[in-house]
Amino acid sequence: MIPSEFDYRAPESVEEAVRELHENGDEAKLLAGGHSLLPLMKMRLAVPTLLVDLRRVPGLHSVQRENGTVKVGALTTHATVAATPELGLAAKAAATIADVQVRNRGTIGGSLAHGDPASDLPAVLVALEGSVTAHGPSGPREIAAADLFEDYLETALAPDEVLTEVRIPAADGWSFGYQKFNRRSEDWAMVAVAVAVKSSGGVAEDVRIAMVNMGGRPLRAAAAEGALRGQSIDQATVAAAAALAAEGTDPPADLNASADYKRHLAQVLTKRALAEAGGL
Ligand code: FAD
């Protein structure tokens, strides 16, 4: 329960943080809210010899709308995301994360960089087709959500890159549903489903469905999306689409649920999330 020894630095710019990471290689880890990293360190599943704390780096806390995009600084807490209605689906999902303490410390950048498929915000970013900005030794680059999450706790971020900003398309004209199933309130999702629907005159013009904890990374339910796109949103079309939600998935069984049970949950939660988004 006690982490192994480590050095600590708190740089005052993104460039300085990148330099610390670059010079110290795999031995160095960024620290944001610490709510994923510190438990791993206490269990000695992560043994960094240097923690590079982002808390003094300016400019990573703001939420700003620019044209059709909401730009969210990497250190924005889950509590702030949850309290920002402009963030639509991300706000809904962030409100379901753990408890007040975790939401007050945990950050959107830390959650996305950690790449845990059981986390809520990665699936939201995938559903909304957002992106992140990563700063490395050769400057910034943008990574689309579809390319960011590679496998369990693996992302496209290089060890010497700092995720600085999350870009979420503005919610105008979209409605959302977020349904999460856990054994006890405030637990991680056994499965969760994030839905975004753009409709006109009761017809679904566009549908996005992304699933939490159904594989090594957040997965889109492409067959279910295709079944509802262009259809009237009613109980029958929603049920028919939701029945396809688990198609092509091979979720790992865990202590809480077998793979079959997770596939069943994906269908049930997709139906509920579509109904929520469609106002049914
Ligand atoms: P940290 O723990 O500081 O860092 C996590 C990892 O990301 C580290 O490897 C770190 O080096 C890296 N990192 C951090 N910031 C950056 C950055 N800007 N650029 C590059 N790399 C970076 N999450 C959920 O989604 N749903 C839940 O239901 C949920 N329940 C939880 C329950 C408990 C009891 C706890 C302790 C945590 C829970 N979490 C849950 C996780 C929580 O949301 C974490 O806060 C989040 O996953 C990580 O964010 P952080 O800011 O704490 O990151």
Side-chain angles (χ1 to χ4, degrees), residues 88-90 92-93 120 123-124 126-128 174-179 192-198 204 206-212 219-221 224-225 228 233 238 241-242 245 266-279:
L89 185 58
K92 255 183 199 279
D120 297 282
V124 168
V126 165
L128 298 177
W174 290 81
S175 55
F176 305 106
Y178 194 75
Q179 294 286 327
V193 176
V195 158
V197 177
K198 188 168 200 178
D206 201 355
V207 184
R208 315 264 185 78
I209 304 169
M211 298 177 289
V212 174
L219 297 179
R220 288 279 286 269
E225 290 177 355
L228 194 57
I233 306 170
V238 161
Q267 294 172 349
V268 171
L269 298 175
T270 298
K271 190 173 166 192
R272 289 182 190 164
L274 286 170
E276 182 186 349

mmCIF file of all heavy atoms in Angstrom, residues 88-90 92-93 120 123-124 126-128 174-179 192-198 204 206-212 219-221 224-225 228 233 238 241-242 245 266-279:
data_model
loop_
_atom_site.group_PDB
_atom_site.id
_atom_site.type_symbol
_atom_site.label_atom_id
_atom_site.label_comp_id
_atom_site.label_asym_id
_atom_site.label_seq_id
_atom_site.Cartn_x
_atom_site.Cartn_y
_atom_site.Cartn_z
ATOM 1 N N GLY A 88 -22.878 18.749 -23.079
ATOM 2 C CA GLY A 88 -23.847 17.739 -23.502
ATOM 3 C C GLY A 88 -23.585 16.351 -22.945
ATOM 4 O O GLY A 88 -23.640 16.103 -21.736
ATOM 5 N N LEU A 89 -23.264 15.420 -23.832
ATOM 6 C CA LEU A 89 -23.070 14.019 -23.448
ATOM 7 C C LEU A 89 -21.928 13.856 -22.444
ATOM 8 O O LEU A 89 -22.019 13.044 -21.514
ATOM 9 C CB LEU A 89 -22.787 13.200 -24.718
ATOM 10 C CG LEU A 89 -22.661 11.691 -24.573
ATOM 11 C CD1 LEU A 89 -23.902 11.074 -23.961
ATOM 12 C CD2 LEU A 89 -22.371 11.052 -25.942
ATOM 13 N N ALA A 90 -20.857 14.640 -22.621
ATOM 14 C CA ALA A 90 -19.717 14.541 -21.687
ATOM 15 C C ALA A 90 -20.160 14.944 -20.281
ATOM 16 O O ALA A 90 -19.744 14.331 -19.291
ATOM 17 C CB ALA A 90 -18.567 15.430 -22.160
ATOM 18 N N LYS A 92 -23.231 14.720 -19.020
ATOM 19 C CA LYS A 92 -24.075 13.630 -18.491
ATOM 20 C C LYS A 92 -23.211 12.487 -17.957
ATOM 21 O O LYS A 92 -23.434 11.964 -16.873
ATOM 22 C CB LYS A 92 -24.913 13.051 -19.652
ATOM 23 C CG LYS A 92 -26.373 13.444 -19.661
ATOM 24 C CD LYS A 92 -27.051 12.721 -20.847
ATOM 25 C CE LYS A 92 -28.346 13.386 -21.225
ATOM 26 N NZ LYS A 92 -29.474 13.018 -20.396
ATOM 27 N N ALA A 93 -22.220 12.083 -18.750
ATOM 28 C CA ALA A 93 -21.392 10.932 -18.362
ATOM 29 C C ALA A 93 -20.510 11.267 -17.165
ATOM 30 O O ALA A 93 -20.352 10.448 -16.248
ATOM 31 C CB ALA A 93 -20.534 10.490 -19.544
ATOM 32 N N ASP A 120 -15.650 6.263 -18.312
ATOM 33 C CA ASP A 120 -16.815 6.797 -19.019
ATOM 34 C C ASP A 120 -16.447 7.750 -20.164
ATOM 35 O O ASP A 120 -17.063 7.704 -21.239
ATOM 36 C CB ASP A 120 -17.714 7.522 -18.006
ATOM 37 C CG ASP A 120 -18.239 6.555 -16.943
ATOM 38 O OD1 ASP A 120 -19.178 5.822 -17.242
ATOM 39 O OD2 ASP A 120 -17.668 6.498 -15.833
ATOM 40 N N ALA A 123 -15.404 6.677 -24.053
ATOM 41 C CA ALA A 123 -16.505 6.287 -24.955
ATOM 42 C C ALA A 123 -17.273 7.518 -25.442
ATOM 43 O O ALA A 123 -17.717 7.566 -26.599
ATOM 44 C CB ALA A 123 -17.460 5.321 -24.248
ATOM 45 N N VAL A 124 -17.388 8.524 -24.567
ATOM 46 C CA VAL A 124 -18.078 9.764 -24.963
ATOM 47 C C VAL A 124 -17.321 10.435 -26.110
ATOM 48 O O VAL A 124 -17.911 10.855 -27.108
ATOM 49 C CB VAL A 124 -18.202 10.714 -23.747
ATOM 50 C CG1 VAL A 124 -18.629 12.097 -24.184
ATOM 51 C CG2 VAL A 124 -19.192 10.144 -22.742
ATOM 52 N N VAL A 126 -15.351 9.076 -28.236
ATOM 53 C CA VAL A 126 -15.483 8.245 -29.444
ATOM 54 C C VAL A 126 -16.866 8.465 -30.075
ATOM 55 O O VAL A 126 -16.987 8.633 -31.290
ATOM 56 C CB VAL A 126 -15.237 6.753 -29.097
ATOM 57 C CG1 VAL A 126 -15.705 5.839 -30.207
ATOM 58 C CG2 VAL A 126 -13.750 6.530 -28.814
ATOM 59 N N ALA A 127 -17.916 8.504 -29.251
ATOM 60 C CA ALA A 127 -19.265 8.711 -29.783
ATOM 61 C C ALA A 127 -19.372 10.064 -30.487
ATOM 62 O O ALA A 127 -19.988 10.177 -31.550
ATOM 63 C CB ALA A 127 -20.304 8.617 -28.662
ATOM 64 N N LEU A 128 -18.753 11.085 -29.909
ATOM 65 C CA LEU A 128 -18.894 12.446 -30.447
ATOM 66 C C LEU A 128 -17.876 12.749 -31.546
ATOM 67 O O LEU A 128 -17.891 13.830 -32.128
ATOM 68 C CB LEU A 128 -18.756 13.475 -29.315
ATOM 69 C CG LEU A 128 -19.833 13.377 -28.221
ATOM 70 C CD1 LEU A 128 -19.561 14.398 -27.123
ATOM 71 C CD2 LEU A 128 -21.220 13.598 -28.819
ATOM 72 N N TRP A 174 -28.151 18.216 -31.312
ATOM 73 C CA TRP A 174 -28.033 16.802 -30.915
ATOM 74 C C TRP A 174 -28.750 16.584 -29.590
ATOM 75 O O TRP A 174 -28.853 17.492 -28.769
ATOM 76 C CB TRP A 174 -26.568 16.417 -30.728
ATOM 77 C CG TRP A 174 -25.779 16.364 -32.001
ATOM 78 C CD1 TRP A 174 -25.235 17.425 -32.666
ATOM 79 C CD2 TRP A 174 -25.452 15.205 -32.764
ATOM 80 N NE1 TRP A 174 -24.578 16.990 -33.800
ATOM 81 C CE2 TRP A 174 -24.696 15.636 -33.890
ATOM 82 C CE3 TRP A 174 -25.710 13.841 -32.628
ATOM 83 C CZ2 TRP A 174 -24.206 14.751 -34.845
ATOM 84 C CZ3 TRP A 174 -25.212 12.967 -33.578
ATOM 85 C CH2 TRP A 174 -24.476 13.409 -34.679
ATOM 86 N N SER A 175 -29.236 15.378 -29.394
ATOM 87 C CA SER A 175 -29.720 15.008 -28.063
ATOM 88 C C SER A 175 -28.957 13.761 -27.624
ATOM 89 O O SER A 175 -28.406 13.030 -28.467
ATOM 90 C CB SER A 175 -31.230 14.777 -28.062
ATOM 91 O OG SER A 175 -31.548 13.817 -29.027
ATOM 92 N N PHE A 176 -28.942 13.538 -26.308
ATOM 93 C CA PHE A 176 -28.017 12.544 -25.771
ATOM 94 C C PHE A 176 -28.677 11.589 -24.786
ATOM 95 O O PHE A 176 -29.657 11.952 -24.135
ATOM 96 C CB PHE A 176 -26.861 13.251 -25.051
ATOM 97 C CG PHE A 176 -26.162 14.249 -25.906
ATOM 98 C CD1 PHE A 176 -26.339 15.616 -25.707
ATOM 99 C CD2 PHE A 176 -25.358 13.827 -26.951
ATOM 100 C CE1 PHE A 176 -25.710 16.543 -26.519
ATOM 101 C CE2 PHE A 176 -24.717 14.745 -27.777
ATOM 102 C CZ PHE A 176 -24.894 16.109 -27.557
ATOM 103 N N GLY A 177 -28.093 10.411 -24.674
ATOM 104 C CA GLY A 177 -28.488 9.478 -23.631
ATOM 105 C C GLY A 177 -27.235 8.822 -23.077
ATOM 106 O O GLY A 177 -26.292 8.528 -23.833
ATOM 107 N N TYR A 178 -27.172 8.650 -21.766
ATOM 108 C CA TYR A 178 -26.043 7.925 -21.165
ATOM 109 C C TYR A 178 -26.584 6.963 -20.130
ATOM 110 O O TYR A 178 -27.239 7.378 -19.170
ATOM 111 C CB TYR A 178 -25.023 8.883 -20.527
ATOM 112 C CG TYR A 178 -23.731 8.168 -20.232
ATOM 113 C CD1 TYR A 178 -22.857 7.843 -21.265
ATOM 114 C CD2 TYR A 178 -23.405 7.760 -18.948
ATOM 115 C CE1 TYR A 178 -21.687 7.144 -21.019
ATOM 116 C CE2 TYR A 178 -22.234 7.063 -18.692
ATOM 117 C CZ TYR A 178 -21.377 6.760 -19.736
ATOM 118 O OH TYR A 178 -20.215 6.063 -19.504
ATOM 119 N N GLN A 179 -26.355 5.692 -20.337
ATOM 120 C CA GLN A 179 -26.883 4.668 -19.434
ATOM 121 C C GLN A 179 -25.736 3.791 -18.972
ATOM 122 O O GLN A 179 -24.982 3.251 -19.790
ATOM 123 C CB GLN A 179 -27.950 3.828 -20.159
ATOM 124 C CG GLN A 179 -29.198 4.619 -20.519
ATOM 125 C CD GLN A 179 -30.086 4.907 -19.305
ATOM 126 O OE1 GLN A 179 -30.169 4.111 -18.370
ATOM 127 N NE2 GLN A 179 -30.742 6.062 -19.309
ATOM 128 N N ALA A 192 -21.523 0.470 -20.024
ATOM 129 C CA ALA A 192 -22.277 1.724 -20.170
ATOM 130 C C ALA A 192 -22.399 2.018 -21.660
ATOM 131 O O ALA A 192 -21.585 1.533 -22.465
ATOM 132 C CB ALA A 192 -21.588 2.876 -19.455
ATOM 133 N N VAL A 193 -23.423 2.777 -22.012
ATOM 134 C CA VAL A 193 -23.644 3.095 -23.423
ATOM 135 C C VAL A 193 -23.895 4.598 -23.569
ATOM 136 O O VAL A 193 -24.737 5.173 -22.871
ATOM 137 C CB VAL A 193 -24.840 2.299 -23.995
ATOM 138 C CG1 VAL A 193 -25.122 2.717 -25.427
ATOM 139 C CG2 VAL A 193 -24.556 0.796 -23.939
ATOM 140 N N ALA A 194 -23.127 5.209 -24.473
ATOM 141 C CA ALA A 194 -23.242 6.647 -24.764
ATOM 142 C C ALA A 194 -23.892 6.806 -26.133
ATOM 143 O O ALA A 194 -23.448 6.197 -27.111
ATOM 144 C CB ALA A 194 -21.849 7.270 -24.780
ATOM 145 N N VAL A 195 -24.942 7.628 -26.179
ATOM 146 C CA VAL A 195 -25.692 7.792 -27.429
ATOM 147 C C VAL A 195 -25.820 9.273 -27.768
ATOM 148 O O VAL A 195 -26.108 10.094 -26.896
ATOM 149 C CB VAL A 195 -27.093 7.150 -27.278
ATOM 150 C CG1 VAL A 195 -28.076 7.730 -28.283
ATOM 151 C CG2 VAL A 195 -27.023 5.641 -27.440
ATOM 152 N N ALA A 196 -25.623 9.608 -29.038
ATOM 153 C CA ALA A 196 -25.902 10.958 -29.543
ATOM 154 C C ALA A 196 -26.768 10.809 -30.791
ATOM 155 O O ALA A 196 -26.448 10.007 -31.672
ATOM 156 C CB ALA A 196 -24.596 11.671 -29.885
ATOM 157 N N VAL A 197 -27.865 11.567 -30.834
ATOM 158 C CA VAL A 197 -28.778 11.472 -31.978
ATOM 159 C C VAL A 197 -29.043 12.874 -32.516
ATOM 160 O O VAL A 197 -29.354 13.792 -31.751
ATOM 161 C CB VAL A 197 -30.130 10.824 -31.563
ATOM 162 C CG1 VAL A 197 -31.095 10.800 -32.747
ATOM 163 C CG2 VAL A 197 -29.913 9.412 -31.043
ATOM 164 N N LYS A 198 -28.922 13.028 -33.832
ATOM 165 C CA LYS A 198 -29.323 14.288 -34.472
ATOM 166 C C LYS A 198 -30.579 13.982 -35.255
ATOM 167 O O LYS A 198 -30.565 13.098 -36.135
ATOM 168 C CB LYS A 198 -28.213 14.773 -35.399
ATOM 169 C CG LYS A 198 -28.475 16.146 -35.933
ATOM 170 C CD LYS A 198 -27.236 16.707 -36.587
ATOM 171 C CE LYS A 198 -27.368 18.220 -36.656
ATOM 172 N NZ LYS A 198 -26.220 18.846 -37.224
ATOM 173 N N ALA A 204 -34.195 10.130 -37.396
ATOM 174 C CA ALA A 204 -32.786 10.175 -36.974
ATOM 175 C C ALA A 204 -31.899 10.425 -38.196
ATOM 176 O O ALA A 204 -31.742 9.547 -39.039
ATOM 177 C CB ALA A 204 -32.412 8.858 -36.305
ATOM 178 N N ASP A 206 -28.625 11.362 -37.904
ATOM 179 C CA ASP A 206 -27.331 10.754 -37.565
ATOM 180 C C ASP A 206 -27.445 10.123 -36.176
ATOM 181 O O ASP A 206 -28.151 10.650 -35.316
ATOM 182 C CB ASP A 206 -26.205 11.797 -37.587
ATOM 183 C CG ASP A 206 -24.840 11.151 -37.763
ATOM 184 O OD1 ASP A 206 -24.771 9.901 -37.770
ATOM 185 O OD2 ASP A 206 -23.846 11.878 -37.877
ATOM 186 N N VAL A 207 -26.767 9.014 -35.997
ATOM 187 C CA VAL A 207 -26.819 8.289 -34.725
ATOM 188 C C VAL A 207 -25.408 7.831 -34.373
ATOM 189 O O VAL A 207 -24.709 7.270 -35.219
ATOM 190 C CB VAL A 207 -27.704 7.022 -34.835
ATOM 191 C CG1 VAL A 207 -27.822 6.330 -33.479
ATOM 192 C CG2 VAL A 207 -29.066 7.337 -35.389
ATOM 193 N N ARG A 208 -24.999 8.086 -33.150
ATOM 194 C CA ARG A 208 -23.689 7.601 -32.681
ATOM 195 C C ARG A 208 -23.912 6.823 -31.392
ATOM 196 O O ARG A 208 -24.571 7.320 -30.483
ATOM 197 C CB ARG A 208 -22.752 8.762 -32.391
ATOM 198 C CG ARG A 208 -22.734 9.849 -33.440
ATOM 199 C CD ARG A 208 -21.600 9.650 -34.408
ATOM 200 N NE ARG A 208 -21.540 10.769 -35.324
ATOM 201 C CZ ARG A 208 -21.030 11.967 -35.025
ATOM 202 N NH1 ARG A 208 -20.510 12.167 -33.824
ATOM 203 N NH2 ARG A 208 -21.025 12.930 -35.906
ATOM 204 N N ILE A 209 -23.342 5.636 -31.339
ATOM 205 C CA ILE A 209 -23.467 4.808 -30.134
ATOM 206 C C ILE A 209 -22.075 4.276 -29.793
ATOM 207 O O ILE A 209 -21.433 3.641 -30.641
ATOM 208 C CB ILE A 209 -24.424 3.612 -30.371
ATOM 209 C CG1 ILE A 209 -25.799 4.098 -30.838
ATOM 210 C CG2 ILE A 209 -24.543 2.763 -29.100
ATOM 211 C CD1 ILE A 209 -26.716 2.987 -31.354
ATOM 212 N N ALA A 210 -21.593 4.552 -28.586
ATOM 213 C CA ALA A 210 -20.300 3.996 -28.161
ATOM 214 C C ALA A 210 -20.476 3.299 -26.819
ATOM 215 O O ALA A 210 -21.259 3.730 -25.978
ATOM 216 C CB ALA A 210 -19.244 5.093 -28.058
ATOM 217 N N MET A 211 -19.734 2.198 -26.667
ATOM 218 C CA MET A 211 -19.943 1.341 -25.493
ATOM 219 C C MET A 211 -18.700 1.284 -24.596
ATOM 220 O O MET A 211 -17.572 1.194 -25.082
ATOM 221 C CB MET A 211 -20.312 -0.063 -25.961
ATOM 222 C CG MET A 211 -21.623 -0.083 -26.750
ATOM 223 S SD MET A 211 -22.037 -1.712 -27.388
ATOM 224 C CE MET A 211 -20.810 -1.905 -28.681
ATOM 225 N N VAL A 212 -18.952 1.325 -23.293
ATOM 226 C CA VAL A 212 -17.905 1.257 -22.266
ATOM 227 C C VAL A 212 -17.756 -0.185 -21.793
ATOM 228 O O VAL A 212 -18.761 -0.858 -21.531
ATOM 229 C CB VAL A 212 -18.319 2.137 -21.050
ATOM 230 C CG1 VAL A 212 -17.336 1.983 -19.894
ATOM 231 C CG2 VAL A 212 -18.470 3.589 -21.458
ATOM 232 N N LEU A 219 -15.957 0.943 -27.944
ATOM 233 C CA LEU A 219 -16.370 0.418 -29.254
ATOM 234 C C LEU A 219 -17.608 1.144 -29.755
ATOM 235 O O LEU A 219 -18.523 1.424 -28.975
ATOM 236 C CB LEU A 219 -16.703 -1.073 -29.145
ATOM 237 C CG LEU A 219 -15.568 -2.012 -28.753
ATOM 238 C CD1 LEU A 219 -16.092 -3.446 -28.677
ATOM 239 C CD2 LEU A 219 -14.415 -1.921 -29.759
ATOM 240 N N ARG A 220 -17.663 1.429 -31.054
ATOM 241 C CA ARG A 220 -18.897 1.941 -31.667
ATOM 242 C C ARG A 220 -19.794 0.758 -32.008
ATOM 243 O O ARG A 220 -19.319 -0.298 -32.458
ATOM 244 C CB ARG A 220 -18.579 2.699 -32.962
ATOM 245 C CG ARG A 220 -17.919 4.043 -32.752
ATOM 246 C CD ARG A 220 -18.875 5.165 -32.399
ATOM 247 N NE ARG A 220 -19.681 5.633 -33.508
ATOM 248 C CZ ARG A 220 -19.346 6.615 -34.324
ATOM 249 N NH1 ARG A 220 -18.186 7.234 -34.168
ATOM 250 N NH2 ARG A 220 -20.154 7.000 -35.301
ATOM 251 N N ALA A 221 -21.104 0.920 -31.802
ATOM 252 C CA ALA A 221 -22.072 -0.122 -32.172
ATOM 253 C C ALA A 221 -22.561 0.194 -33.584
ATOM 254 O O ALA A 221 -23.664 0.720 -33.789
ATOM 255 C CB ALA A 221 -23.219 -0.135 -31.168
ATOM 256 N N ALA A 224 -26.018 -1.176 -34.971
ATOM 257 C CA ALA A 224 -27.180 -0.518 -34.344
ATOM 258 C C ALA A 224 -27.332 0.903 -34.890
ATOM 259 O O ALA A 224 -28.453 1.355 -35.179
ATOM 260 C CB ALA A 224 -27.015 -0.502 -32.830
ATOM 261 N N GLU A 225 -26.208 1.596 -35.053
ATOM 262 C CA GLU A 225 -26.266 2.963 -35.602
ATOM 263 C C GLU A 225 -26.890 2.933 -36.999
ATOM 264 O O GLU A 225 -27.792 3.718 -37.316
ATOM 265 C CB GLU A 225 -24.854 3.558 -35.717
ATOM 266 C CG GLU A 225 -24.191 3.873 -34.393
ATOM 267 C CD GLU A 225 -22.759 4.390 -34.582
ATOM 268 O OE1 GLU A 225 -22.258 4.410 -35.732
ATOM 269 O OE2 GLU A 225 -22.147 4.775 -33.573
ATOM 270 N N LEU A 228 -30.718 2.481 -37.250
ATOM 271 C CA LEU A 228 -31.603 3.592 -36.852
ATOM 272 C C LEU A 228 -31.449 4.820 -37.760
ATOM 273 O O LEU A 228 -32.395 5.610 -37.890
ATOM 274 C CB LEU A 228 -31.335 3.978 -35.394
ATOM 275 C CG LEU A 228 -32.380 4.879 -34.734
ATOM 276 C CD1 LEU A 228 -33.779 4.246 -34.793
ATOM 277 C CD2 LEU A 228 -32.011 5.165 -33.289
ATOM 278 N N ILE A 233 -37.823 7.792 -35.132
ATOM 279 C CA ILE A 233 -37.420 7.308 -33.804
ATOM 280 C C ILE A 233 -38.679 6.929 -33.034
ATOM 281 O O ILE A 233 -39.430 7.800 -32.590
ATOM 282 C CB ILE A 233 -36.633 8.384 -33.049
ATOM 283 C CG1 ILE A 233 -35.452 8.857 -33.900
ATOM 284 C CG2 ILE A 233 -36.162 7.874 -31.692
ATOM 285 C CD1 ILE A 233 -34.749 10.072 -33.356
ATOM 286 N N VAL A 238 -36.209 1.729 -32.277
ATOM 287 C CA VAL A 238 -35.183 1.752 -31.230
ATOM 288 C C VAL A 238 -34.894 0.325 -30.739
ATOM 289 O O VAL A 238 -33.732 -0.083 -30.593
ATOM 290 C CB VAL A 238 -35.634 2.671 -30.063
ATOM 291 C CG1 VAL A 238 -34.874 2.380 -28.791
ATOM 292 C CG2 VAL A 238 -35.462 4.134 -30.469
ATOM 293 N N ALA A 241 -32.921 -1.575 -33.416
ATOM 294 C CA ALA A 241 -31.513 -1.137 -33.478
ATOM 295 C C ALA A 241 -30.742 -1.665 -32.271
ATOM 296 O O ALA A 241 -29.624 -2.193 -32.412
ATOM 297 C CB ALA A 241 -31.448 0.392 -33.525
ATOM 298 N N ALA A 242 -31.331 -1.544 -31.084
ATOM 299 C CA ALA A 242 -30.637 -1.943 -29.854
ATOM 300 C C ALA A 242 -30.308 -3.436 -29.859
ATOM 301 O O ALA A 242 -29.284 -3.854 -29.308
ATOM 302 C CB ALA A 242 -31.483 -1.586 -28.632
ATOM 303 N N ALA A 245 -26.802 -4.131 -30.906
ATOM 304 C CA ALA A 245 -25.712 -3.371 -30.263
ATOM 305 C C ALA A 245 -24.452 -4.192 -30.009
ATOM 306 O O ALA A 245 -23.339 -3.687 -30.113
ATOM 307 C CB ALA A 245 -26.202 -2.760 -28.951
ATOM 308 N N ALA A 266 -25.374 -4.637 -23.042
ATOM 309 C CA ALA A 266 -25.162 -3.665 -24.130
ATOM 310 C C ALA A 266 -26.468 -3.411 -24.876
ATOM 311 O O ALA A 266 -26.794 -2.263 -25.225
ATOM 312 C CB ALA A 266 -24.086 -4.167 -25.088
ATOM 313 N N GLN A 267 -27.241 -4.473 -25.106
ATOM 314 C CA GLN A 267 -28.510 -4.313 -25.827
ATOM 315 C C GLN A 267 -29.521 -3.527 -24.980
ATOM 316 O O GLN A 267 -30.168 -2.586 -25.467
ATOM 317 C CB GLN A 267 -29.087 -5.686 -26.172
ATOM 318 C CG GLN A 267 -28.216 -6.445 -27.164
ATOM 319 C CD GLN A 267 -28.681 -7.881 -27.356
ATOM 320 O OE1 GLN A 267 -29.509 -8.397 -26.626
ATOM 321 N NE2 GLN A 267 -28.132 -8.534 -28.366
ATOM 322 N N VAL A 268 -29.640 -3.920 -23.718
ATOM 323 C CA VAL A 268 -30.626 -3.270 -22.836
ATOM 324 C C VAL A 268 -30.291 -1.783 -22.661
ATOM 325 O O VAL A 268 -31.164 -0.904 -22.765
ATOM 326 C CB VAL A 268 -30.663 -3.980 -21.464
ATOM 327 C CG1 VAL A 268 -31.503 -3.201 -20.463
ATOM 328 C CG2 VAL A 268 -31.176 -5.398 -21.618
ATOM 329 N N LEU A 269 -28.998 -1.505 -22.418
ATOM 330 C CA LEU A 269 -28.604 -0.111 -22.146
ATOM 331 C C LEU A 269 -28.680 0.735 -23.413
ATOM 332 O O LEU A 269 -28.983 1.938 -23.351
ATOM 333 C CB LEU A 269 -27.190 -0.066 -21.548
ATOM 334 C CG LEU A 269 -27.047 -0.777 -20.196
ATOM 335 C CD1 LEU A 269 -25.589 -0.785 -19.746
ATOM 336 C CD2 LEU A 269 -27.919 -0.107 -19.119
ATOM 337 N N THR A 270 -28.407 0.128 -24.570
ATOM 338 C CA THR A 270 -28.535 0.880 -25.830
ATOM 339 C C THR A 270 -29.991 1.281 -26.044
ATOM 340 O O THR A 270 -30.290 2.420 -26.426
ATOM 341 C CB THR A 270 -28.019 0.042 -27.017
ATOM 342 O OG1 THR A 270 -26.641 -0.231 -26.802
ATOM 343 C CG2 THR A 270 -28.191 0.769 -28.338
ATOM 344 N N LYS A 271 -30.890 0.351 -25.767
ATOM 345 C CA LYS A 271 -32.321 0.674 -25.919
ATOM 346 C C LYS A 271 -32.707 1.834 -24.994
ATOM 347 O O LYS A 271 -33.366 2.793 -25.417
ATOM 348 C CB LYS A 271 -33.149 -0.577 -25.595
ATOM 349 C CG LYS A 271 -34.620 -0.446 -25.935
ATOM 350 C CD LYS A 271 -35.295 -1.785 -25.738
ATOM 351 C CE LYS A 271 -36.801 -1.621 -25.734
ATOM 352 N NZ LYS A 271 -37.482 -2.816 -25.275
ATOM 353 N N ARG A 272 -32.252 1.764 -23.747
ATOM 354 C CA ARG A 272 -32.594 2.825 -22.786
ATOM 355 C C ARG A 272 -31.955 4.163 -23.191
ATOM 356 O O ARG A 272 -32.577 5.218 -23.084
ATOM 357 C CB ARG A 272 -32.114 2.448 -21.379
ATOM 358 C CG ARG A 272 -32.921 1.324 -20.772
ATOM 359 C CD ARG A 272 -32.425 1.032 -19.362
ATOM 360 N NE ARG A 272 -33.013 -0.186 -18.849
ATOM 361 C CZ ARG A 272 -32.567 -0.851 -17.796
ATOM 362 N NH1 ARG A 272 -31.518 -0.413 -17.135
ATOM 363 N NH2 ARG A 272 -33.155 -1.956 -17.402
ATOM 364 N N ALA A 273 -30.704 4.102 -23.642
ATOM 365 C CA ALA A 273 -30.010 5.356 -23.986
ATOM 366 C C ALA A 273 -30.622 5.983 -25.239
ATOM 367 O O ALA A 273 -30.745 7.210 -25.332
ATOM 368 C CB ALA A 273 -28.522 5.089 -24.189
ATOM 369 N N LEU A 274 -31.020 5.144 -26.211
ATOM 370 C CA LEU A 274 -31.681 5.680 -27.413
ATOM 371 C C LEU A 274 -33.028 6.292 -27.040
ATOM 372 O O LEU A 274 -33.409 7.355 -27.547
ATOM 373 C CB LEU A 274 -31.870 4.575 -28.464
ATOM 374 C CG LEU A 274 -30.611 4.134 -29.225
ATOM 375 C CD1 LEU A 274 -30.892 2.876 -30.047
ATOM 376 C CD2 LEU A 274 -30.098 5.257 -30.128
ATOM 377 N N ALA A 275 -33.765 5.615 -26.157
ATOM 378 C CA ALA A 275 -35.065 6.140 -25.722
ATOM 379 C C ALA A 275 -34.865 7.471 -24.989
ATOM 380 O O ALA A 275 -35.614 8.431 -25.190
ATOM 381 C CB ALA A 275 -35.769 5.120 -24.827
ATOM 382 N N GLU A 276 -33.808 7.541 -24.162
ATOM 383 C CA GLU A 276 -33.514 8.789 -23.440
ATOM 384 C C GLU A 276 -33.207 9.919 -24.436
ATOM 385 O O GLU A 276 -33.754 11.017 -24.331
ATOM 386 C CB GLU A 276 -32.298 8.545 -22.518
ATOM 387 C CG GLU A 276 -31.901 9.741 -21.672
ATOM 388 C CD GLU A 276 -30.591 9.476 -20.895
ATOM 389 O OE1 GLU A 276 -30.111 8.331 -20.845
ATOM 390 O OE2 GLU A 276 -30.048 10.465 -20.358
ATOM 391 N N ALA A 277 -32.351 9.618 -25.410
ATOM 392 C CA ALA A 277 -31.981 10.645 -26.389
ATOM 393 C C ALA A 277 -33.184 11.027 -27.250
ATOM 394 O O ALA A 277 -33.329 12.201 -27.642
ATOM 395 C CB ALA A 277 -30.837 10.135 -27.269
ATOM 396 N N GLY A 278 -34.026 10.065 -27.571
ATOM 397 C CA GLY A 278 -35.170 10.320 -28.454
ATOM 398 C C GLY A 278 -36.376 10.853 -27.716
ATOM 399 O O GLY A 278 -37.426 11.112 -28.326
ATOM 400 N N GLY A 279 -36.296 10.993 -26.407
ATOM 401 C CA GLY A 279 -37.424 11.502 -25.610
ATOM 402 C C GLY A 279 -38.605 10.552 -25.608
ATOM 403 O O GLY A 279 -39.749 10.982 -25.502
#
